[in-house]
Every structure is written in structure tokens, then in C-alpha cells.
Amino acid sequence: MQKLTNKEEEIMHILWALEKAFVKEVLAEIKDEKPHYNTLSTIIRNLEEKEYVAYNAYGKTHQYYPIISKEAYKKRFMTTAIENYFNSSYKNMVSFFAKEEKISVNELKEIIDLIENKK
């Protein structure tokens, strides 16, 4: 699975939400600075080359849909982040968020319960 640019990832989130869409429908969903239609079309074709999306052709128009699930992408993204930033240690990751006060004691207890009940 190839790494996505920030803009490609933004487009994938839109496609995951819409499930299938024409370029103009994707463009309508972009909240911030909207790229030119041709630029967006190029980004989506790049996603196709990277094998994240496929399309159905309707004459000269293409309707795109994701072929990589959001779950599969999230798993790969998180695994890579943990490897690159936390030395492949989930403990280091959780410790980081605890020190940054991004996770509460109650949330940590819920995580512990999940781990204990999974066994």
C-alpha cells in the first residue's frame, strides 16, 4: 500500500463517505480551498494508479469508488506511525498521549477492560 499525500487522503475520506462518486460530487464535498476540477481529476487518477480507487465508465465520465477500505488504510497508517514515531511500542504511544493529556484515566481503564475481556 503506497503512502498517500495529505490531499489524496482527504479525497479518500470523501470517497469512503460517499462510497462512489463522480469528480464533481467529490469537489462539492471539499470543505476548504477547492482545487480546480482538472486538478482534482488528476488526484483521483493518481489514487487509481496507487490502487486505492477504481471506476465505472459511463461514456466519457467515470464514477470512482474505493477499493481499499477505510479500516485497512487505518490499520496500515497506524502501524506505520507506531513504527516510525514510537519505536514499534504501543506502550510508548499510549504514554505519549497520557503525557500530552490527550487520554484520560477513565479512557485508559476502558482500554484495560477491553484488553482483559478480549482474552
Side-chain angles (χ1 to χ4, degrees), residues 31-42:
K31 305 284 186 255
D32 297 328
E33 192 176 320
K34 294 187 187 287
H36 187 275
Y37 180 93
N38 291 341
T39 302
L40 178 57
S41 184
T42 299

Side-chain angles (χ1 to χ4, degrees), residues 75-88:
K75 190 174 194 177
R76 176 69 176 138
F77 177 84
M78 290 305 299
T79 299
T80 301
I82 292 165
E83 287 171 358
N84 292 338
Y85 297 104
F86 301 105
N87 298 323
S88 298

Side-chain angles (χ1 to χ4, degrees), residues 103-116:
I103 191 167
S104 70
V105 172
N106 286 338
E107 290 170 323
L108 286 170
K109 287 179 182 177
E110 287 176 28
I111 292 169
I112 291 167
D113 286 342
L114 285 172
I115 293 169
E116 288 177 345

Side-chain angles (χ1 to χ4, degrees), residues 29-89:
E29 293 295 315
I30 296 175
K31 305 284 186 255
D32 297 328
E33 192 176 320
K34 294 187 187 287
H36 187 275
Y37 180 93
N38 291 341
T39 302
L40 178 57
S41 184
T42 299
I43 293 168
I44 293 174
R45 282 195 309 275
N46 288 343
L47 288 168
E48 180 192 354
E49 288 176 18
K50 291 181 176 182
E51 299 182 348
Y52 279 84
V53 301
Y55 65 87
N56 292 317
Y58 300 97
K60 293 181 181 181
T61 305
H62 295 118
Q63 186 180 44
Y64 294 92
Y65 57 91
I67 55 176
I68 298 290
S69 72
K70 189 174 184 179
E71 281 301 311
Y73 182 75
K74 178 172 49 173
K75 190 174 194 177
R76 176 69 176 138
F77 177 84
M78 290 305 299
T79 299
T80 301
I82 292 165
E83 287 171 358
N84 292 338
Y85 297 104
F86 301 105
N87 298 323
S88 298
S89 168

